[in-house]
Amino acid sequence: MRVHVLQHAFFEGLGNIENWLRQQGATISYTRLYEAAKFPAVEQLDLIIALGGPMSVNDEAELPWLIQEKQFIAQAIREDVAVFGICLGAQLIASAMGKRVYPGPEKEIGWHPIHATDNSSSTFNFPNTVSVLHWHGETFDLPDEAVNLAESVVCKHQAFQLGRRVIGLQFHMEMTRESIEKMLVHCGGDLTEGNFVQSEQVIRAASNERFSALEHLMAELLSYITQGIDKRSGHHLLSMTR
């Protein structure tokens, strides 16, 4: 499986996603946008993962590579490449599809529950309620024909699915303890007073069982959007080499 990662900050990486990719024997390549905006040919890829980042998708004047990145994502979606977006990555998908990204009613940082809003047989199903890590101040309008999959008290659009192969998450299921420590070091200034902003101590206090459950749910999601990719690319999913 040929996987390309869009990384926006050196301290926001794949987290537990890397474990799943290596189990599949995936080939992993990167566009590290904080270094250079160089993108591969879309037709060479099976899965694109757009990670989070501290910038806004609206910062095109300061970060003109955002324009190219959105074009790359839009082309991938048109060509039926699987696309998975996390936080900023989900907002990039929405923006690439012509939708607004704008400040949410409240900043949401820390462990807060999301609630499933769709449990149909044609979409990925989240648990009815699950506590996940949030780190965002913006939200977005859903792309046309997208299905809203989850919501929280403060954010109506927490997860969406577009077609069979595109899912965006406003929250972070990929985070490990190490990932969180990096976020606290580099984005700790975001922890200002707010109704949905937790302290470093509360964020660190999550149990090992919570991290394990989220890694399992992440694996289910990635398996869902990549199902059948072996047929499209002419290889068996489990026999691909790195």
Side-chain angles (χ1 to χ4, degrees), residues 183-202:
M183 290 293 290
L184 290 171
V185 168
H186 297 283
C187 298
D190 294 340
L191 302 182
T192 55
E193 197 168 322
N195 295 323
F196 296 90
V197 179
Q198 293 175 346
S199 67
E200 290 188 18
Q201 291 75 17
V202 172

Side-chain angles (χ1 to χ4, degrees), residues 71-179:
Q71 292 170 344
F72 177 73
I73 290 171
Q75 181 187 359
I77 293 171
R78 288 195 302 269
E79 297 191 16
D80 197 33
V81 175
V83 179
F84 175 46
I86 300 171
C87 200
L88 174 70
Q91 295 167 359
L92 282 164
I93 294 172
S95 184
M97 295 291 97
K99 296 303 174 181
R100 291 190 312 136
V101 178
Y102 48 90
E106 300 243 19
K107 282 205 301 187
E108 196 172 20
I109 302 177
W111 298 97
H112 301 289
I114 59 164
H115 310 285
T117 56
D118 185 273
N119 286 302
S120 70
S121 60
S122 60
T123 61
F124 180 77
N125 293 169
F126 282 94
N128 287 335
T129 300
V130 60
S131 184
V132 296
L133 184 75
H134 304 260
W135 204 298
H136 67 99
E138 293 192 312
T139 187
F140 51 85
D141 293 334
L142 286 181
D144 294 342
E145 301 182 11
V147 178
N148 196 43
L149 302 179
E151 64 184 6
S152 68
V153 171
V154 72
C155 183
K156 182 179 179 181
H157 299 151
Q158 283 286 357
F160 67 87
Q161 181 171 332
L162 180 61
R164 180 63 180 77
R165 297 207 178 280
V166 180
I167 288 182
L169 306 182
Q170 181 59 78
F171 51 90
H172 295 269
M173 289 202 305
E174 85 286 3
M175 290 283 180
T176 63
R177 288 195 186 279
E178 181 182 3
S179 305

